[in-house]
Amino acid sequence: MLREELQSYFDRAYPYSKIDSEHPLKGQIHIRFELGGENKNGTIKRVNQATDRAFTIFNETFKESAHEIFVLIYEYQGANILNTSNDYLYKQFPKDEFVGFYSKFEIINASYIAADENKNLFTEKREVRVVIGKLAIKNIDIKNILNGIANLEMGFDPCINQRIFFFDPITDKAFQMYDDRGCYVWSNNADNIRDIYIKRNDWIVESYRSKINEYFRNDNKNGI
């Protein structure tokens, strides 16, 4: 089953990562990139820049991935802010492949930041639909997916409300775009993503730069 196969991969490459924890990048060597930049919120210009940057980073992350990669999706219940159907995301995969995806409701440990002055991080049990697939990148309409993520908080349609992660089990590289503000690239070894760290250094989120730089010191290849 795809769920067991993905968790087995996590156990080997990312031992801190559990499918039921909603944090597949926890404890890993990662780069956080700025996407929307200084472009005004609620504008097509911001959405377009976020989409284009994310698409560039995605392609550079998985440029060697001619094989199948894992897709992990968390779908929360209820309509999103624009009432876009959750099915929009799933239409970006071939129908004949999507029917073979793992898709079940599960209780997971979801984290959220309290809306108070302390901004404390809390964890609660939530029921979500967990969707897992494994397919070739060429069979994913990735630009539509990234654009849908960028659209969500900017008020444009179609938008994607689910959280979606991509994992390459051969190169041990992974990617997630969280919204128009930014995305993550991560691995279990700094050398796996050193090229994109160098090439897209200007896009790194400044407030995280010092921490990210630590991962790529020559004496710290494994993020220890």
Side-chain angles (χ1 to χ4, degrees), residues 2-224:
L2 282 170
R3 192 189 192 288
E4 283 72 18
E5 186 180 352
L6 178 57
Q7 186 58 63
S8 178
Y9 169 64
F10 284 173
D11 293 342
R12 175 181 67 78
Y14 306 115
Y16 296 104
S17 297
K18 305 297 178 185
I19 292 171
D20 62 2
S21 72
E22 195 203 30
H23 285 286
L25 61 79
K26 186 176 181 181
Q28 308 307 326
I29 299 164
H30 63 272
I31 311 170
R32 186 173 180 176
F33 291 105
E34 178 72 51
L35 298 179
E38 300 302 318
N39 291 308
K40 186 178 179 181
N41 281 336
T43 63
I44 288 293
K45 183 177 181 181
R46 181 178 178 87
V47 167
N48 287 344
Q49 177 174 299
T51 302
D52 289 344
R53 282 193 178 187
F55 190 56
T56 296
I57 292 168
F58 180 94
N59 286 332
E60 291 175 352
T61 301
F62 297 117
K63 62 185 178 182
E64 301 167 1
S65 304
H67 42 270
E68 292 183 324
I69 67 168
F70 285 109
V71 176
L72 170 62
I73 299 167
Y74 295 100
E75 178 183 295
Y76 299 92
Q77 302 312 292
N80 60 49
I81 59 176
L82 292 180
N83 292 318
T84 298
S85 169
N86 283 329
D87 288 343
Y88 175 74
L89 169 58
Y90 305 126
K91 292 178 180 178
Q92 310 315 313
F93 306 99
K95 288 183 180 180
D96 60 338
E97 295 204 50
F98 183 72
V99 294
F101 282 22
Y102 171 91
S103 179
K104 289 188 178 181
F105 287 98
E106 298 188 22
I107 303 299
I108 69 168
N109 295 309
S111 298
Y112 66 95
I113 299 176
D116 57 27
E117 60 182 12
N118 295 321
K119 303 296 182 183
N120 291 319
L121 184 68
F122 294 92
T123 300
E124 66 178 6
K125 299 285 187 180
R126 295 184 63 182
E127 184 179 47
V128 304
R129 183 185 183 193
V130 177
V131 178
I132 301 170
K134 192 177 184 184
L135 72 169
I137 289 175
K138 66 180 182 179
N139 293 336
I140 306 171
D141 197 331
I142 187 62
K143 195 159 191 178
N144 276 358
I145 292 174
L146 301 177
N147 183 248
I149 295 170
N151 277 339
L152 180 63
E153 294 193 11
M154 294 298 97
F156 298 111
D157 197 40
C159 63
I160 289 173
N161 197 41
Q162 299 100 319
R163 297 183 67 200
I164 179 167
F165 301 81
F166 301 89
F167 300 90
D168 186 331
I170 303 300
T171 65
D172 292 334
K173 297 178 185 179
F175 173 94
Q176 182 217 3
M177 178 183 180
Y178 49 91
D179 57 29
D180 59 283
R181 293 171 299 168
C183 68
Y184 292 101
V185 171
W186 71 99
S187 183
N188 56 4
N189 187 299
D191 281 343
N192 289 343
I193 54 174
R194 190 178 296 275
D195 57 343
I196 195 168
Y197 163 76
I198 294 170
K199 188 172 184 178
R200 299 300 169 188
N201 201 270
D202 289 346
W203 293 354
I204 290 175
V205 176
E206 282 300 325
S207 58
Y208 290 85
R209 182 177 292 277
S210 60
K211 174 63 176 178
I212 292 168
N213 286 345
E214 284 295 306
Y215 292 134
F216 296 93
R217 294 184 332 202
N218 288 333
D219 60 342
N220 194 24
K221 293 183 179 182
N222 293 305
I224 298 173

